[in-house]
mmCIF file of all heavy atoms in Angstrom:
data_model
loop_
_atom_site.group_PDB
_atom_site.id
_atom_site.type_symbol
_atom_site.label_atom_id
_atom_site.label_comp_id
_atom_site.label_asym_id
_atom_site.label_seq_id
_atom_site.Cartn_x
_atom_site.Cartn_y
_atom_site.Cartn_z
ATOM 1 N N HIS F 1025 -0.824 1.892 117.910
ATOM 2 C CA HIS F 1025 0.478 2.105 118.539
ATOM 3 C C HIS F 1025 0.214 2.544 119.974
ATOM 4 O O HIS F 1025 -0.577 3.451 120.232
ATOM 5 C CB HIS F 1025 1.238 3.186 117.779
ATOM 6 C CG HIS F 1025 2.677 3.324 118.163
ATOM 7 N ND1 HIS F 1025 3.085 3.743 119.427
ATOM 8 C CD2 HIS F 1025 3.822 3.098 117.462
ATOM 9 C CE1 HIS F 1025 4.402 3.772 119.473
ATOM 10 N NE2 HIS F 1025 4.884 3.381 118.299
ATOM 11 N N ALA F 1026 0.865 1.907 120.939
ATOM 12 C CA ALA F 1026 0.577 2.186 122.347
ATOM 13 C C ALA F 1026 0.892 3.626 122.740
ATOM 14 O O ALA F 1026 0.361 4.130 123.728
ATOM 15 C CB ALA F 1026 1.347 1.220 123.245
ATOM 16 N N GLY F 1027 1.739 4.289 121.972
ATOM 17 C CA GLY F 1027 2.028 5.683 122.256
ATOM 18 C C GLY F 1027 0.835 6.600 122.084
ATOM 19 O O GLY F 1027 0.851 7.745 122.549
ATOM 20 N N LEU F 1028 -0.226 6.098 121.448
ATOM 21 C CA LEU F 1028 -1.443 6.898 121.248
ATOM 22 C C LEU F 1028 -2.361 6.861 122.463
ATOM 23 O O LEU F 1028 -3.486 7.353 122.388
ATOM 24 C CB LEU F 1028 -2.208 6.392 120.017
ATOM 25 C CG LEU F 1028 -1.507 6.534 118.661
ATOM 26 C CD1 LEU F 1028 -2.363 5.926 117.566
ATOM 27 C CD2 LEU F 1028 -1.202 7.994 118.354
ATOM 28 N N ARG F 1029 -1.879 6.355 123.580
ATOM 29 C CA ARG F 1029 -2.728 6.277 124.766
ATOM 30 C C ARG F 1029 -3.112 7.664 125.280
ATOM 31 O O ARG F 1029 -3.976 7.782 126.147
ATOM 32 C CB ARG F 1029 -2.053 5.456 125.861
ATOM 33 C CG ARG F 1029 -0.816 6.075 126.438
ATOM 34 C CD ARG F 1029 -0.240 5.242 127.577
ATOM 35 N NE ARG F 1029 0.368 4.007 127.109
ATOM 36 C CZ ARG F 1029 -0.115 2.789 127.373
ATOM 37 N NH1 ARG F 1029 -1.213 2.647 128.096
ATOM 38 N NH2 ARG F 1029 0.505 1.715 126.929
ATOM 39 N N PHE F 1030 -2.475 8.715 124.766
ATOM 40 C CA PHE F 1030 -2.885 10.065 125.148
ATOM 41 C C PHE F 1030 -4.219 10.451 124.495
ATOM 42 O O PHE F 1030 -4.727 11.550 124.719
ATOM 43 C CB PHE F 1030 -1.803 11.105 124.785
ATOM 44 C CG PHE F 1030 -1.553 11.275 123.305
ATOM 45 C CD1 PHE F 1030 -2.318 12.148 122.549
ATOM 46 C CD2 PHE F 1030 -0.536 10.574 122.673
ATOM 47 C CE1 PHE F 1030 -2.083 12.315 121.189
ATOM 48 C CE2 PHE F 1030 -0.291 10.732 121.319
ATOM 49 C CZ PHE F 1030 -1.071 11.608 120.577
ATOM 50 N N LEU F 1031 -4.782 9.529 123.706
ATOM 51 C CA LEU F 1031 -6.088 9.741 123.072
ATOM 52 C C LEU F 1031 -7.096 8.734 123.642
ATOM 53 O O LEU F 1031 -7.414 7.734 123.005
ATOM 54 C CB LEU F 1031 -5.982 9.567 121.558
ATOM 55 C CG LEU F 1031 -5.160 10.617 120.806
ATOM 56 C CD1 LEU F 1031 -4.893 10.171 119.386
ATOM 57 C CD2 LEU F 1031 -5.871 11.966 120.823
ATOM 58 N N PRO F 1032 -7.617 8.964 124.826
ATOM 59 C CA PRO F 1032 -8.609 8.051 125.405
ATOM 60 C C PRO F 1032 -9.988 8.301 124.804
ATOM 61 O O PRO F 1032 -10.190 9.250 124.025
ATOM 62 C CB PRO F 1032 -8.588 8.439 126.890
ATOM 63 C CG PRO F 1032 -8.314 9.910 126.857
ATOM 64 C CD PRO F 1032 -7.340 10.118 125.717
ATOM 65 N N LEU F 1033 -10.935 7.454 125.150
ATOM 66 C CA LEU F 1033 -12.337 7.763 124.851
ATOM 67 C C LEU F 1033 -12.799 8.861 125.802
ATOM 68 O O LEU F 1033 -12.331 8.942 126.944
ATOM 69 C CB LEU F 1033 -13.209 6.518 125.014
ATOM 70 C CG LEU F 1033 -12.896 5.339 124.076
ATOM 71 C CD1 LEU F 1033 -13.847 4.181 124.359
ATOM 72 C CD2 LEU F 1033 -12.965 5.754 122.613
ATOM 73 N N LEU F 1034 -13.718 9.698 125.340
ATOM 74 C CA LEU F 1034 -14.120 10.861 126.127
ATOM 75 C C LEU F 1034 -15.541 10.704 126.654
ATOM 76 O O LEU F 1034 -16.482 10.520 125.873
ATOM 77 C CB LEU F 1034 -14.009 12.135 125.284
ATOM 78 C CG LEU F 1034 -12.597 12.464 124.810
ATOM 79 C CD1 LEU F 1034 -12.597 13.727 123.960
ATOM 80 C CD2 LEU F 1034 -11.638 12.609 125.985
ATOM 81 N N PRO F 1035 -15.741 10.777 127.967
ATOM 82 C CA PRO F 1035 -17.081 10.587 128.545
ATOM 83 C C PRO F 1035 -18.063 11.696 128.205
ATOM 84 O O PRO F 1035 -19.253 11.535 128.420
ATOM 85 C CB PRO F 1035 -16.797 10.542 130.055
ATOM 86 C CG PRO F 1035 -15.497 11.244 130.236
ATOM 87 C CD PRO F 1035 -14.705 10.972 128.998
ATOM 88 N N SER F 1036 -17.578 12.806 127.667
ATOM 89 C CA SER F 1036 -18.477 13.913 127.315
ATOM 90 C C SER F 1036 -18.987 13.839 125.881
ATOM 91 O O SER F 1036 -19.718 14.724 125.431
ATOM 92 C CB SER F 1036 -17.764 15.255 127.523
ATOM 93 O OG SER F 1036 -16.566 15.319 126.758
ATOM 94 N N ASP F 1037 -18.646 12.781 125.139
ATOM 95 C CA ASP F 1037 -19.068 12.699 123.735
ATOM 96 C C ASP F 1037 -20.582 12.731 123.562
ATOM 97 O O ASP F 1037 -21.096 13.220 122.561
ATOM 98 C CB ASP F 1037 -18.504 11.441 123.075
ATOM 99 C CG ASP F 1037 -17.059 11.615 122.633
ATOM 100 O OD1 ASP F 1037 -16.684 12.742 122.279
ATOM 101 O OD2 ASP F 1037 -16.309 10.615 122.645
ATOM 102 N N TRP F 1038 -21.311 12.213 124.527
ATOM 103 C CA TRP F 1038 -22.775 12.189 124.409
ATOM 104 C C TRP F 1038 -23.347 13.593 124.319
ATOM 105 O O TRP F 1038 -24.372 13.810 123.654
ATOM 106 C CB TRP F 1038 -23.405 11.429 125.578
ATOM 107 C CG TRP F 1038 -23.316 12.140 126.902
ATOM 108 C CD1 TRP F 1038 -22.299 12.062 127.797
ATOM 109 C CD2 TRP F 1038 -24.289 13.031 127.466
ATOM 110 N NE1 TRP F 1038 -22.564 12.843 128.901
ATOM 111 C CE2 TRP F 1038 -23.777 13.450 128.720
ATOM 112 C CE3 TRP F 1038 -25.528 13.498 127.054
ATOM 113 C CZ2 TRP F 1038 -24.481 14.325 129.555
ATOM 114 C CZ3 TRP F 1038 -26.228 14.376 127.881
ATOM 115 C CH2 TRP F 1038 -25.702 14.781 129.109
ATOM 116 N N VAL F 1039 -22.698 14.572 124.958
ATOM 117 C CA VAL F 1039 -23.179 15.957 124.905
ATOM 118 C C VAL F 1039 -23.150 16.464 123.467
ATOM 119 O O VAL F 1039 -23.999 17.263 123.059
ATOM 120 C CB VAL F 1039 -22.313 16.865 125.809
ATOM 121 C CG1 VAL F 1039 -22.740 18.324 125.694
ATOM 122 C CG2 VAL F 1039 -22.376 16.390 127.253
ATOM 123 N N PHE F 1040 -22.185 15.976 122.696
ATOM 124 C CA PHE F 1040 -22.024 16.413 121.312
ATOM 125 C C PHE F 1040 -22.714 15.474 120.327
ATOM 126 O O PHE F 1040 -22.553 15.607 119.116
ATOM 127 C CB PHE F 1040 -20.534 16.517 120.983
ATOM 128 C CG PHE F 1040 -19.799 17.503 121.849
ATOM 129 C CD1 PHE F 1040 -19.106 17.076 122.964
ATOM 130 C CD2 PHE F 1040 -19.829 18.851 121.558
ATOM 131 C CE1 PHE F 1040 -18.435 17.976 123.778
ATOM 132 C CE2 PHE F 1040 -19.166 19.762 122.361
ATOM 133 C CZ PHE F 1040 -18.475 19.333 123.474
ATOM 134 N N GLU F 1041 -23.463 14.517 120.869
ATOM 135 C CA GLU F 1041 -24.284 13.595 120.061
ATOM 136 C C GLU F 1041 -23.439 12.803 119.071
ATOM 137 O O GLU F 1041 -23.828 12.582 117.923
ATOM 138 C CB GLU F 1041 -25.391 14.367 119.343
ATOM 139 C CG GLU F 1041 -26.327 15.098 120.302
ATOM 140 C CD GLU F 1041 -27.329 15.999 119.602
ATOM 141 O OE1 GLU F 1041 -27.290 16.075 118.353
ATOM 142 O OE2 GLU F 1041 -28.150 16.631 120.296
ATOM 143 N N ILE F 1042 -22.271 12.343 119.531
ATOM 144 C CA ILE F 1042 -21.392 11.547 118.682
ATOM 145 C C ILE F 1042 -20.943 10.320 119.457
ATOM 146 O O ILE F 1042 -20.640 10.410 120.650
ATOM 147 C CB ILE F 1042 -20.173 12.380 118.217
ATOM 148 C CG1 ILE F 1042 -19.296 11.562 117.262
ATOM 149 C CG2 ILE F 1042 -19.361 12.895 119.396
ATOM 150 C CD1 ILE F 1042 -18.217 12.380 116.596
ATOM 151 N N PRO F 1043 -20.917 9.137 118.837
ATOM 152 C CA PRO F 1043 -20.431 7.935 119.526
ATOM 153 C C PRO F 1043 -18.953 8.056 119.863
ATOM 154 O O PRO F 1043 -18.179 8.695 119.144
ATOM 155 C CB PRO F 1043 -20.682 6.823 118.496
ATOM 156 C CG PRO F 1043 -21.692 7.373 117.551
ATOM 157 C CD PRO F 1043 -21.437 8.846 117.497
ATOM 158 N N ASN F 1044 -18.548 7.408 120.953
ATOM 159 C CA ASN F 1044 -17.175 7.552 121.425
ATOM 160 C C ASN F 1044 -16.137 7.080 120.414
ATOM 161 O O ASN F 1044 -15.063 7.675 120.289
ATOM 162 C CB ASN F 1044 -16.982 6.842 122.770
ATOM 163 C CG ASN F 1044 -17.416 5.391 122.756
ATOM 164 O OD1 ASN F 1044 -17.687 4.802 121.713
ATOM 165 N ND2 ASN F 1044 -17.498 4.784 123.928
ATOM 166 N N ASP F 1045 -16.448 6.011 119.653
ATOM 167 C CA ASP F 1045 -15.467 5.521 118.690
ATOM 168 C C ASP F 1045 -15.301 6.473 117.514
ATOM 169 O O ASP F 1045 -14.195 6.700 117.026
ATOM 170 C CB ASP F 1045 -15.812 4.105 118.212
ATOM 171 C CG ASP F 1045 -17.195 4.004 117.593
ATOM 172 O OD1 ASP F 1045 -18.039 4.881 117.841
ATOM 173 O OD2 ASP F 1045 -17.442 3.025 116.869
ATOM 174 N N MET F 1046 -16.417 7.074 117.052
ATOM 175 C CA MET F 1046 -16.322 8.007 115.939
ATOM 176 C C MET F 1046 -15.637 9.304 116.369
ATOM 177 O O MET F 1046 -14.916 9.940 115.596
ATOM 178 C CB MET F 1046 -17.708 8.300 115.369
ATOM 179 C CG MET F 1046 -18.345 7.124 114.657
ATOM 180 S SD MET F 1046 -17.377 6.499 113.252
ATOM 181 C CE MET F 1046 -16.628 5.022 113.957
ATOM 182 N N SER F 1047 -15.845 9.702 117.609
ATOM 183 C CA SER F 1047 -15.140 10.860 118.144
ATOM 184 C C SER F 1047 -13.636 10.604 118.154
ATOM 185 O O SER F 1047 -12.836 11.460 117.752
ATOM 186 C CB SER F 1047 -15.628 11.176 119.558
ATOM 187 O OG SER F 1047 -14.817 12.146 120.186
#
Side-chain angles (χ1 to χ4, degrees):
H1025 191 295
L1028 296 177
R1029 67 177 71 247
F1030 65 86
L1031 293 168
L1033 298 180
L1034 298 179
S1036 57
D1037 279 329
W1038 70 272
V1039 176
F1040 300 97
E1041 300 173 359
I1042 183 171
N1044 53 11
D1045 57 340
M1046 291 301 103
S1047 170

